[in-house]
Amino acid sequence: MSKVWFVTGSSRGLGREFVEAALSRGDRVAATARSTESLADLTASYGDAVLPLEMDVTDRAAVAAAVERAVEHFGRIDVVVNNAGYAQVGAVEELSEAELRAQMETNLFGAVWVVQAVLPHLRAQGGGHLFQLSSAAGLIAMPMGGAYHASKWALEGLNEALAGEVAEFGIKVTIIEPGGYATRKGKNPDPLNNGFMAERNPAYDALRRRLGAMAGKQPAGDPAAAAQVLLELADADTAPVRILFGTGFYPMVQQAYANRLQTWEEWQDLSLKAQG
């Protein structure tokens, strides 16, 4: 039986790939974007199978209205993909309050508004699958990504808790942690030079140069392959709470967790002392 999807951030990147993969196999999709003009070609190609919805995830009322419109149009929602987000770059000292708040409003609160809007419908129908696009940046942290890491680490904890809360209703939650992907606009070869850059403090220029020399060294994944794996997960009877997409960051994640365990072990005497 075909599925009904609700996908945020559908205009480009992995979100667009997910939408097209679902539509191409006969599923129906409520595709949201800040402007539906970016979705016009989908409507032309797939007709009534796609419902383009103009929605900014930071607008809680708009999110609720979009979910209601999708349920009204398709009768149900089976798969929810919380994909909308962006990366704010800058040293922690460089971040303005507005930049940090905007990062959290989109990446964290926007995801929460979608979850809260869809859950009553998923509970009522006795199941569904929530996918949260996190990142390898939700598992490890690097300089100049403090705002982005904060938003993704928060999403990781939020969705792990959510998974335990909704399992009894037949609702699955899967956190997807992609590495870098060569989407249609191309993988940004220099993540330290994108459109969301904090005002630079010269004190960090040397660090920026070192990081810039390392940028783009991870292999770029194929977004079409990621989309096919998402379809497999959506069709599976069971699914993991977390899954890495791509292999580039797996060794780094392994090392990060090994280092944490080693540090806790090395400092165990003080940990015990702190117990009192």
Side-chain angles (χ1 to χ4, degrees):
M1 186 177 74
S2 67
K3 291 182 168 59
V4 175
W5 297 62
F6 186 93
V7 183
T8 69
S10 298
S11 62
R12 58 188 178 86
L14 286 176
R16 178 64 173 235
E17 296 287 342
F18 297 156
V19 168
E20 292 194 7
L23 288 169
S24 67
R25 74 169 193 172
D27 288 355
R28 294 170 292 168
V29 180
T32 80
R34 284 179 294 179
S35 171
T36 54
E37 290 182 12
S38 61
L39 307 174
D41 58 328
L42 291 176
T43 305
S45 298
Y46 296 100
D48 293 340
V50 59
L51 175 65
L53 295 169
E54 188 168 304
M55 189 191 84
D56 184 336
V57 293
T58 65
D59 184 338
R60 189 178 189 181
V63 171
V67 169
E68 293 303 316
R69 179 75 182 93
V71 173
E72 178 185 289
H73 185 79
F74 291 124
R76 62 186 291 118
I77 296 174
D78 302 299
V79 183
V80 179
V81 183
N82 252 335
N83 170 72
Y86 71 95
Q88 173 68 52
V89 177
V92 171
E93 186 180 358
E94 295 172 332
L95 296 170
S96 70
E97 179 179 348
E99 287 168 334
L100 183 55
R101 288 186 181 277
Q103 180 78 112
M104 302 302 283
E105 286 287 346
T106 296
N107 290 11
L108 176 61
F109 286 97
V112 173
W113 305 152
V114 172
V115 168
Q116 291 183 340
V118 300
L119 277 181
H121 298 288
L122 301 187
R123 279 203 317 275
Q125 68 195 28
H129 201 150
L130 284 157
F131 288 98
Q132 175 60 59
L133 265 290
S134 179
S135 169
L139 301 170
I140 56 177
M142 293 176 284
M144 299 293 161
Y148 185 60
H149 290 304
S151 70
K152 293 300 187 181
W153 284 46
L155 277 174
E156 293 271 341
L158 183 94
N159 279 274
E160 184 172 331
L162 176 66
E165 294 164 357
V166 301
E168 65 183 283
F169 306 121
I171 301 169
K172 298 188 287 289
V173 177
T174 297
I175 306 166
I176 297 173
E177 298 148 339
Y181 274 84
T183 52
R184 293 175 196 190
K185 290 191 175 182
K187 185 184 177 188
N188 184 358
D190 183 3
L192 299 181
N193 186 23
N194 66 18
F196 299 97
M197 172 68 72
E199 184 175 350
R200 298 189 180 196
N201 181 332
Y204 297 97
D205 283 348
L207 173 60
R208 255 185 289 272
R209 286 192 294 272
R210 292 196 299 273
L211 293 173
M214 299 164 53
K217 298 297 175 65
Q218 294 294 329
D222 177 2
Q228 290 305 309
V229 170
L230 185 68
L231 295 181
E232 288 188 39
L233 289 169
D235 292 341
D237 292 332
T238 61
V241 174
R242 285 183 171 85
I243 183 170
L244 284 165
F245 269 25
T247 60
F249 281 91
Y250 185 48
M252 296 173 66
V253 172
Q254 283 183 302
Q255 188 61 56
Y257 275 77
N259 289 346
R260 289 172 196 174
L261 289 170
Q262 181 179 347
T263 298
W264 285 324
E265 177 65 27
E266 289 175 353
W267 292 87
Q268 182 70 355
D269 56 338
L270 286 186
S271 298
L272 295 172
K273 188 176 181 180
Q275 178 68 22

